[in-house]
Amino acid sequence: MLLDQTHPAYDAMIEDYDTMRDCYAGERTVKNRTTRYLPATRSMILDGALSSREPGYSMYVSYVQRAVFPDLVANAARTLTGLAFKDPSVYTLPDSMVELLDSATLEGDSLQTLHRRIVEQILLYGRFGLALDVPDGEGLPYFVSYGARSIINWDDSLPARGRVNPLQFVTTVDETYARGTEGSYEWTPINRYRAFELVDGVYQTWTEEENDPGTPVTPEYRGRTLDFVPFTFIGAQDLVATPGPIPLLGIANSALAIYRGDANLRQTLHNVGQDTLVLIGVGDDTEEEDDQQPVRVGATAVIKLGPDGDAKYIGVNGEGLTEQRLVLQDDYKLASSEGSRLLENTAAQAESGEALKVRVAAKTTTLTAVALTAAAGLQHALRQVALWVGADPQQVKVEANLDFAEDSFSAQEALNLQQAKREGLPISYRSLHSKLRDQDYTDLSFDEEIELIKSEKENGIEDLFAPPKEYNEPNARAGSEPIDEPVDV
């Protein structure tokens, strides 16, 4: 086949991509990879762990089943993506492109949903691709997404100056399934390759499957062709084709280290709890051996020994258990230091707002870079749409949310701020209301809030909830007249 060739830089990264895919999928997938992530011990190999017919194989299966793989990668990806969209991103589009806000892909995903997918994929793989396609009928061009494992080959050697992008071609692969002949219910896995290429200065594309090389087509939108390949690479730090760093790879490696350490710890615990019975004076060469039943242990078991026989238990020394637990704890701490747990704002942490902001600023450098690059990549791809439909690309803007800390603004802080305003703090009531609205104390606009307050005063609603008046004089009680003599209460 022509399109199944891969780029050397892709070959260098595919192992990390596979690791991230498996760790994100979770425990079942990781355990199904068996020795890739959890090698068998030497004794298991000597007992035939690599052959399903040997006793060492069942030992290895038990070794894998007892181990626990922590779901750190998926949790970190979801948490960080949620923080990146704590506040919505802002999309500014020309009037001719506004329908993309609600339907940006062939599946009907909104621009916000597509944006979230970009951020999550960059966190997981450090790479994402957006291609443009045109519908068969009426409608705007739409986006087609490609993950890092799907973008297998490319050439970005064209001069970048004066071009939308320097791509000569990009090749992708979809690992999918196809039904057999008509009426068949059988599905067969296939690889469907697609090429995006600049041919004689005009963009062309085609797909290739087994025994089907495909036919190049020149996509048009209302008669307009393109003089560039409409494909955007989005990385963790830039928009170049060369694969870059994977933000969550450190957490994946920590999760695998914990998995292996947990397997060793549980194997040791299993062995410590399974002492070996030793029978002394009962040899295999005794005449009575043929008549003996298999030895059983437990409260209901009976073992008959001769006058010279003896029975004892021996077990594995558990002195190394403490050290194994400490190593496992250190691995969890390392994973936590790189993950999203340090970004969570919970009541148990009891941090002040200022302390939280300092901690978040120190720990979200990678998330900030990802958020900025994802927004820049989506903006670049949207501007390609604008060029294709004849709109002004400069009217396209994508502004990412960069406030990842959950601000805490209590009612007491609001009162303090109002008191400070009365004493001369240069801030308007409209600004104070905006702060309260950001913290979900109200969903009304400032003008709506003022009108509602006026209405409550006019209808006497405010008096219903007013506290009882109290005298300021010493010993005065609510609802009574001032008195001259002290009163014991």
Side-chain angles (χ1 to χ4, degrees):
M1 297 179 69
L2 177 64
L3 299 182
D4 61 353
Q5 303 299 311
T6 57
H7 195 285
Y10 174 85
D11 296 335
M13 295 294 296
I14 186 60
E15 186 172 348
D16 286 340
Y17 293 155
D18 288 345
T19 297
M20 295 305 302
R21 176 199 60 190
D22 296 341
C23 290
Y24 180 77
E27 181 172 285
R28 179 179 298 180
T29 300
V30 169
K31 289 186 174 182
N32 286 341
R33 300 289 184 264
T34 60
T35 56
R36 172 184 171 91
Y37 300 122
L38 184 57
T41 65
R42 179 173 176 80
S43 61
M44 293 176 188
I45 294 175
L46 292 175
D47 289 335
L50 305 181
S51 174
S52 60
R53 298 182 179 180
E54 299 294 331
Y57 179 79
S58 61
M59 295 171 58
Y60 177 72
V61 170
S62 299
Y63 181 54
V64 172
Q65 289 177 343
R66 279 191 294 267
V68 174
F69 176 78
D71 207 14
L72 300 178
V73 173
N75 289 338
R78 296 183 187 116
T79 301
L80 292 173
T81 302
L83 287 174
F85 291 89
K86 179 181 73 70
D87 296 327
S89 299
V90 179
Y91 309 101
T92 305
L93 301 177
D95 293 341
S96 59
M97 294 172 55
V98 291
E99 69 178 71
L100 292 177
L101 290 173
D102 297 322
S103 182
T105 68
L106 187 61
E107 296 79 14
D109 294 332
S110 67
L111 203 59
Q112 180 88 357
T113 301
L114 177 62
H115 195 177
R116 289 181 66 95
R117 186 186 309 152
I118 293 171
V119 170
E120 185 179 58
Q121 289 291 304
I122 294 175
L123 287 168
L124 288 170
Y125 300 100
R127 197 178 198 218
F128 193 73
L130 280 181
L132 289 183
D133 222 335
V134 287
D136 295 333
E138 294 295 324
L140 289 174
Y142 58 87
F143 292 111
V144 182
S145 302
Y146 292 97
R149 296 182 73 259
S150 298
I151 310 170
I152 62 175
N153 205 357
W154 62 91
D155 181 358
D156 60 344
S157 60
L158 292 177
R161 177 170 293 184
R163 296 180 182 272
V164 176
N165 61 44
L167 295 172
Q168 178 66 51
F169 78 85
V170 178
T171 305
T172 64
V173 59
D174 284 329
E175 299 173 346
T176 183
Y177 293 87
R179 274 184 63 186
T181 58
E182 186 176 353
S184 171
Y185 295 94
E186 182 180 1
W187 291 89
T188 304
I190 63 169
N191 288 333
R192 180 177 293 124
Y193 299 89
R194 183 172 181 182
F196 307 82
E197 188 167 5
L198 205 60
V199 180
D200 297 329
V202 179
Y203 163 61
Q204 292 185 354
T205 183
W206 71 94
T207 59
E208 179 180 282
E209 298 178 11
E210 187 176 356
N211 302 322
D212 183 9
T215 302
V217 296
T218 302
E220 296 182 0
Y221 177 78
R222 297 182 178 179
R224 295 190 186 96
T225 59
L226 295 177
D227 59 357
F228 60 89
V229 175
F231 197 101
T232 302
F233 285 93
I234 310 175
Q237 298 175 336
D238 49 45
L239 304 182
V240 300
T242 304
I246 300 174
L248 295 184
L249 182 59
I251 294 181
N253 290 333
S254 293
L256 291 172
I258 291 171
Y259 173 52
R260 291 187 286 266
D262 186 84
N264 292 334
L265 176 61
R266 293 177 187 273
Q267 177 77 352
T268 304
L269 288 170
H270 174 75
N271 291 336
V272 168
Q274 300 291 321
D275 287 348
T276 301
L277 176 64
V278 179
L279 300 179
I280 303 173
V282 183
D284 293 338
D285 55 350
T286 61
E287 295 180 357
E288 296 83 4
E289 184 67 23
D290 293 338
D291 298 329
Q292 277 194 329
Q293 296 295 322
V295 175
R296 294 180 175 84
V297 296
T300 61
V302 177
I303 301 176
K304 297 180 180 180
L305 302 177
D308 297 327
D310 191 11
K312 295 180 180 180
Y313 274 105
I314 60 173
V316 177
N317 191 323
E319 292 181 356
L321 282 173
T322 301
E323 186 64 27
Q324 290 185 31
R325 290 193 184 98
L326 291 175
V327 171
L328 202 56
Q329 290 174 7
D330 290 341
D331 287 340
Y332 268 106
K333 290 179 181 178
L334 178 61
S336 296
S337 68
E338 297 186 29
S340 60
R341 296 180 186 273
L342 293 179
L343 300 178
E344 294 176 357
N345 179 23
T346 62
Q349 290 172 320
E351 292 179 297
S352 68
E354 191 60 34
L356 177 63
K357 288 182 179 180
V358 170
R359 180 169 58 81
V360 169
K363 294 294 181 180
T364 55
T365 303
T366 299
L367 183 57
T368 300
V370 168
L372 289 171
T373 310
L378 183 57
Q379 177 177 282
H380 185 265
L382 286 166
R383 288 184 173 180
Q384 293 181 12
V385 176
L387 287 171
W388 207 350
V389 303
D392 183 5
Q394 298 306 313
Q395 291 184 10
V396 175
K397 292 183 180 179
V398 177
E399 301 175 53
N401 164 58
L402 299 179
D403 181 13
F404 309 132
E406 291 288 352
D407 295 332
S408 175
F409 189 66
S410 65
Q412 183 60 50
E413 289 174 319
L415 290 174
N416 293 341
L417 199 56
Q418 185 175 8
Q419 181 65 31
K421 172 178 171 53
R422 291 173 179 171
E423 296 179 2
L425 180 69
I427 188 172
S428 67
Y429 281 113
R430 189 178 294 271
S431 297
L432 291 177
H433 177 272
S434 177
K435 181 68 174 177
L436 292 172
R437 186 173 181 178
D438 289 342
Q439 298 300 311
D440 296 326
Y441 283 100
T442 177
D443 57 358
L444 300 177
S445 69
F446 179 74
D447 295 331
E448 292 172 338
E449 201 80 64
I450 294 300
E451 290 299 320
L452 189 59
I453 292 173
K454 290 180 180 178
S455 175
E456 289 180 348
K457 288 183 177 180
E458 293 173 356
N459 293 305
I461 297 177
E462 188 178 66
D463 295 334
L464 295 176
F465 298 96
K469 296 181 180 180
E470 296 185 359
Y471 287 94
N472 293 327
E473 291 84 0
N475 302 319
R477 289 175 293 179
S480 65
E481 296 296 329
I483 56 178
D484 296 326
E485 297 297 328
V487 176
D488 293 331
V489 180

